[in-house]
Amino acid sequence: MTLPKFILGDHSDHPNAIYVIHTEFPRFIINLENDELEWLEDFDQQDEKELKSEAENAVQQATSFYDSEVAKYKNE
């Protein structure tokens, strides 16, 4: 199965939270309500430098993905 790079998620126990799941390295879930990140990877110190750059870019892409998806719903 090929997964999309980003997946939107929600949960009835957290009605105000909107989650974006990033399925490629570095995999994470971001809660757009409070920008909390949950990493789905284990990192060592060597990875940290590269991770900072990639993570910042991926979080920006996740936010842009969400904005794009919401715009599609508004235009329907």
Side-chain angles (χ1 to χ4, degrees):
M1 170 183 2
T2 302
L3 294 173
K5 185 174 184 174
F6 296 105
I7 300 170
L8 285 177
D10 64 2
H11 195 284
S12 59
D13 289 344
H14 305 277
N16 295 324
I18 299 169
Y19 301 99
V20 176
I21 300 99
H22 184 256
T23 64
E24 297 177 0
F25 184 84
R27 296 175 309 140
F28 62 85
I29 300 171
I30 184 170
N31 179 346
L32 295 178
E33 177 187 27
N34 58 15
D35 292 334
E36 185 177 346
L37 276 172
E38 179 69 30
W39 296 105
L40 304 175
E41 307 280 359
D42 292 322
F43 303 106
D44 60 27
Q45 287 184 331
Q46 282 184 309
D47 293 332
E48 284 186 34
K49 196 175 208 177
E50 182 180 343
L51 174 66
K52 285 181 183 180
S53 173
E54 285 191 40
E56 186 175 311
N57 189 32
V59 168
Q60 289 174 349
Q61 289 176 2
T63 303
S64 294
F65 165 76
Y66 172 76
D67 292 341
S68 171
E69 291 297 300
V70 169
K72 290 175 187 175
Y73 286 112
K74 287 181 180 180
N75 290 331
E76 287 183 359

